[in-house]
Amino acid sequence: MAGGNRDGVTRGSAAAVRALLLSCAVALRATAQLVPDVRLEAGYARVDQAGFDPVNATLLALFWRKPTDRWTLFTSGNLTYARDSLAAAQGVAAFAVPWRANDHLRTDFGAAGASFSLRGAGRGGNGSGFLRQHYVRDQWGSWVGTAAGRTERDRRRTRSYAGDIGGWARWRSLYASASLSRQNSNDWLLLLASGQTASPRAASYELEDWQLVAEARRGPHELSASWTHRRSVAGADVRVEAVAVNGELQFNDRLTFLASAGRQLSDPLRGLPEANIITASLRLSFGPKPLPVMQRATIADARLIPRVEGGAHLVVRVEVHDTITIEVAGDFSEWKPLPIVREGNAWVVRVALPPGKYRIGVRANLGPWLAPRNLARVRDDFGGESGLFVIP
Amino acid sequence: MNMHRRVITLVALALASVSPAPAFAQGPVVLRIADAKTRVVVEREIARAAARGLPLQPLIAKAMEGVTKQATGERIQVAVSLLAKRLEQARVLLAPSTSVAELTSGADALAIGVPGTMLKQIRAAWPVERSVAMPLDVLTELVARRIPAQHALEQITALMARGATPSQIASLGSSVQADVAAGLAPDAALDVRARGVMSLLPSPAAAAASAPSGRRQP
């Protein structure tokens, strides 16, 4: 690597560290006031870009999530650093807002900013924003979205636009999605650095990506694979396929192991070059109430609403992402899962019960049965737990 | 073990649910469990309990819970066997009570560590014709909330002695739950709520006077 570029890397690294510290400061300040989900991830990556020797990189990320009844805010800061050759820092803030008028609709929007110094793709920064509309049913959903990004690299500015449409379906522990996206960009340097084209032929180029994703989930554990077929629609001669595999293994409430391997295609929106990447990292979840990763059934709570005719309505609310499979069952249903509906940010079960003592369990993605967090907990004799409640 | 397509029909199901002891008389239980080995083992365990005159409904429910939760056959057998033992203990401790509801409540209380002597104290606090299932259930819930068993027992038996209804006792548990959710310590919540229920009840003298032959009325 040239000396000038190394200086650039040093400056880029300093900017990256500043961006990360800023993300940490913002997230920790918010943490002190609210009861969020906070995660810290640290690990290792091996990055192999076309035309360069593979490099080892250090990964560090802070993730913060705060849900309310009407919206959820996600923020994160990421730092990737490889001593003299690669550094990047990224901050993201995103909202997920369910519609009041229709429980099946949810709007996601957000913005991301990055500072980087990349081999073969210069140093600089990137800003992007996205808007995505979801339609969510119990076992399937669809979305349509748009996004725009600007990248400044070695004082040269580029812009990119994208649109995507997709759908997903879920069956027990399996989840699959298919999507089509189109990206228009004039960031030729990114495409050149990815080795996907020899020289610019027009002011901009347009890419079309077909992507299939399959995931298998077991409780908090997750294994996913994606296949992407990319071709250029205009301005370039690109035809490439990419496969990537990701896995998460949760040891306990606070500690999770994450690994991934595969090809990351260039992303003009975020200014990321194409590379083969292998990562391994550990995630530590902490905070006043650790609620790791939207997948813990313990974020369920149960309420009893007395009925005039006696007994009560049991209302169980499980706040998780709509792609997570949730089952709620109890001795009153002979442990058969109860009908569940999506309301806002949560899956909700309602059932009328006469006076008596009952046990109930909730599980996510066929994981262990757990008690709603606000009920008394008892062991269930089968390695799980149940929530216990008495209706007057 | 293929237990995914299991379950479900229970025939000859011990429909002793609401009747006292002699109704435990039962025919053979057939569990529709796909795995034959598990089915045989669990049915044998339930047959043994039936021979001892124990209510079958809670045992079958426990077995089916294990099946639904995809537990191994061995684990289901152990769970059913342990529940049978607890039901037998509860029958002794709650004698002469013999209803399925009371024995099940007693067994559940024992399962979370309530001492057997406390079951006897609960039984003694009300006349034998009056079910103590609800007081036992509330005791179980409070102990599961990490309230010391002795403390919970004292509050519940005090309410029983003052003539509280099962509904009033049950509301103690749900009130404590609401207070705990609001951030109050379970112990403190129990004290406050027990005093609240107590204030609605007649005085000890009035409660005693209204009970013929020295027995409190249900």
Side-chain angles (χ1 to χ4, degrees), chain B residues 100-112:
Chain B
V100 175
E102 285 173 292
L103 296 193
T104 305
S105 297
D108 287 350
L110 292 170
I112 66 157

Side-chain angles (χ1 to χ4, degrees), chain A residues 26-360:
Chain A
V26 169
L28 289 175
R29 184 175 172 191
T31 304
Q33 298 166 354
L34 301 164
V35 185
D37 172 12
V38 183
R39 294 182 287 144
L40 182 65
E41 290 179 13
Y44 157 86
R46 186 171 176 83
V47 183
D48 186 2
Q49 281 180 262
F52 294 90
D53 292 333
V55 293
N56 299 319
T58 303
L59 306 174
L60 189 62
L62 184 69
F63 175 95
W64 178 90
R65 170 179 173 268
K66 170 61 187 171
T68 72
D69 285 346
R70 298 312 307 173
W71 51 264
T72 302
L73 169 64
F74 305 84
T75 63
S76 69
N78 298 279
L79 172 66
T80 307
Y81 178 69
R83 204 162 279 279
D84 68 343
S85 58
L86 176 120
Q90 186 181 46
V92 179
F95 285 87
V97 185
W99 287 30
R100 284 179 187 274
N102 187 328
D103 284 334
H104 299 304
L105 295 175
R106 189 187 81 235
T107 302
D108 293 353
F109 61 93
S115 172
F116 52 75
S117 182
L118 301 171
R119 292 180 310 163
R123 63 186 175 83
N126 168 272
S128 63
F130 74 95
L131 175 67
R132 186 172 282 171
Q133 182 58 48
H134 293 266
Y135 180 73
V136 181
R137 303 294 301 193
D138 291 358
Q139 299 295 325
W140 61 273
S142 60
W143 75 85
V144 58
T146 184
R150 289 187 73 89
T151 301
E152 181 174 326
R153 191 178 293 111
D154 295 334
R155 301 190 179 187
R156 183 178 302 167
R157 288 184 179 175
T158 59
R159 53 95 194 126
S160 302
Y161 308 104
D164 67 331
I165 185 168
W168 59 266
R170 182 182 54 215
W171 183 73
R172 295 183 67 80
S173 60
L174 299 177
Y175 168 90
S177 69
S179 63
L180 168 65
S181 69
R182 284 236 180 161
Q183 303 178 60
N184 183 294
S185 176
N186 61 358
D187 192 350
W188 280 103
L189 185 58
L190 197 63
L191 213 57
L192 292 168
S194 301
Q196 290 177 357
T197 192
S199 61
R201 287 196 339 232
S204 64
Y205 58 88
E206 190 162 334
L207 303 174
E208 181 181 273
D209 288 355
W210 285 91
Q211 187 174 59
L212 299 176
V213 177
E215 291 183 22
R217 296 166 171 171
R218 188 81 183 180
H221 314 306
E222 188 173 308
L223 181 66
S224 69
S226 68
W227 171 82
T228 308
H229 174 79
R230 167 173 287 181
R231 71 181 184 98
S232 52
V233 179
D237 295 315
V238 175
R239 185 173 289 271
V240 62
E241 293 186 350
V243 173
V245 179
N246 297 278
E248 289 188 18
L249 183 64
Q250 186 166 330
F251 297 123
N252 56 42
D253 282 358
R254 295 187 181 274
L255 190 62
T256 303
F257 174 72
L258 303 97
S260 67
R263 187 181 216 178
Q264 171 192 278
L265 292 177
S266 60
D267 184 348
L269 272 179
R270 293 166 193 82
L272 298 174
E274 181 176 314
N276 292 316
I277 299 179
I278 298 173
T279 69
S281 57
L282 287 174
R283 173 194 295 151
L284 187 63
S285 298
F286 57 95
K289 287 185 181 178
L291 304 177
V293 211
M294 302 177 280
Q295 292 182 2
R296 288 267 302 163
T298 48
I299 59 178
D301 66 17
R303 295 275 176 268
L304 293 173
I305 302 168
R307 294 193 303 161
V308 177
E309 60 270 40
H313 282 290
L314 168 69
V315 181
V316 182
R317 187 179 161 86
V318 189
E319 187 207 300
V320 288
H321 195 266
D322 49 40
T323 60
I324 305 296
T325 302
I326 291 295
E327 289 173 283
V328 179
D331 50 4
F332 49 86
S333 69
E334 296 179 334
W335 293 101
K336 292 171 193 160
L338 295 157
I340 192 164
V341 295
R342 186 75 183 171
E343 291 183 7
N345 280 333
W347 292 110
V348 178
V349 165
R350 287 188 175 82
V351 58
L353 295 171
K357 179 191 65 181
Y358 300 97
R359 289 191 297 131
I360 187 173

